[in-house]
Amino acid sequence: MSDLKPHSREYFGVTSLLAAHPDMRRLKRSTSATHLHGNKLWGSAYILMDYLQEHPLEPSSRVLELGCGWGLASIYCAKYLGADVTALDADPAVFPYLELLADHNQTTINTLSGDFTALSVAELAEYDIIIASDICFWDEMSEALYELIARAVDAGVKQILIADPHRPPFLNVAEACIDDFFAELLPREVSTSRRHRGSILVIENA
Ligand SMILES: C[S@@+](CC[C@H](N)C(=O)[O-])C[C@H]1O[C@@H](n2cnc3c(N)ncnc32)[C@H](O)[C@@H]1O
């Protein structure tokens, strides 16, 4: 595995690779295309990392990331917060990218291929924390995400953190969670090579 610094970036201590990095070019040539927008790193993952840096998890927390894509937030939790992380996505084509980035960050993430809207209360009960970023971008996704959150609350998941760049379907879910689960929606802005604006939905289920 090559490690050419001109083709990588580091934010929040997590290394990401630019499209021009030889390992990324090799992967793009050899893997199938992603769908459901799992084709790049999305800025809301940095909003999540910024929040977690200020509010670290308890050591050895069992973390589930929903719609992980390339999994930078999962990598942050495993690398810096000592978490046991499972990264789930409906599109298996994202996992080679996640694994490549995990390798470059000298960490290991468990991966799970599946639809988060199908997770049962019993499956959700295996985790202490659920994290996600930018997973609610079509109108028809709102109801299923709300129902997933309701099942996670029933399952006793202690904390649910979802970052988003203020997409309307997500804001509908956030509003319902504020009403029903005493959630908070906290605006945040993070700068990497670009400025990322959004909010993080925080549900504490102590
Ligand atoms: C906009 S991307 C965000 C990826 C990543 N969270 C990030 O912030 O870089 C949305 C991701 O959610 C995944 N996804 C969408 N709906 C899903 C579902 N119902 N179950 C599991 N994954 C889903 C997509 O495959 C994609 O990887």
Side-chain angles (χ1 to χ4, degrees):
M1 183 174 58
S2 40
D3 189 14
L4 300 179
K5 296 278 186 225
H7 299 309
S8 66
R9 295 285 180 269
E10 192 172 304
Y11 302 110
F12 298 96
V14 174
T15 301
S16 59
L17 305 182
L18 302 181
H21 192 289
D23 292 344
M24 288 293 278
R25 292 158 67 113
R26 208 170 298 128
L27 199 53
K28 278 218 163 107
R29 279 198 300 272
S30 65
T31 53
S32 52
T34 57
H35 58 283
L36 282 171
H37 299 302
N39 59 326
K40 62 173 192 171
L41 299 170
W42 293 81
S44 296
Y46 292 113
I47 292 178
L48 195 48
M49 286 185 250
D50 185 55
Y51 181 86
L52 287 165
Q53 193 174 53
E54 273 177 32
H55 304 87
L57 306 176
E58 282 176 26
S60 306
S61 291
R62 297 167 303 166
V63 173
L64 174 65
E65 179 170 13
L66 307 176
C68 60
W70 294 8
L72 277 200
S74 282
I75 290 170
Y76 179 82
C77 290
K79 190 173 179 182
Y80 292 109
L81 305 180
D84 175 7
V85 186
T86 300
L88 175 143
D89 204 287
D91 180 359
V94 302
F95 295 129
Y97 293 92
L98 183 151
E99 278 152 17
L100 175 63
L101 292 173
D103 277 355
H104 275 265
N105 284 282
Q106 293 92 43
T107 193
T108 309
I109 307 290
N110 310 308
T111 56
L112 201 56
S113 181
D115 180 345
F116 66 70
T117 67
L119 290 169
S120 66
V121 171
E123 287 166 323
L124 292 163
E126 291 174 23
Y127 301 96
D128 302 309
I129 317 280
I130 287 177
I131 61 169
S133 59
D134 208 345
I135 56 158
C136 191
F137 40 89
W138 293 330
D139 287 345
E140 57 270 30
M141 290 172 153
S142 298
E143 194 178 336
L145 178 59
Y146 174 83
E147 282 169 8
L148 179 278
I149 291 170
R151 290 199 299 284
V153 169
D154 280 352
V157 174
K158 289 184 212 146
Q159 194 180 40
I160 302 167
L161 304 172
I162 306 180
D164 193 89
H166 291 160
R167 299 190 197 283
F170 168 79
L171 292 175
N172 290 339
V173 176
E175 202 175 308
C177 290
I178 290 166
D179 288 347
D180 296 351
F181 307 124
F182 306 103
E184 285 184 287
L185 187 64
L186 309 173
R188 287 187 98 81
E189 192 172 310
V190 176
S191 288
T192 58
S193 56
R194 289 183 295 133
R195 190 164 289 184
H196 309 287
R197 288 198 189 87
S199 283
I200 181 146
L201 180 69
V202 180
I203 301 169
E204 303 282 356
N205 189 28

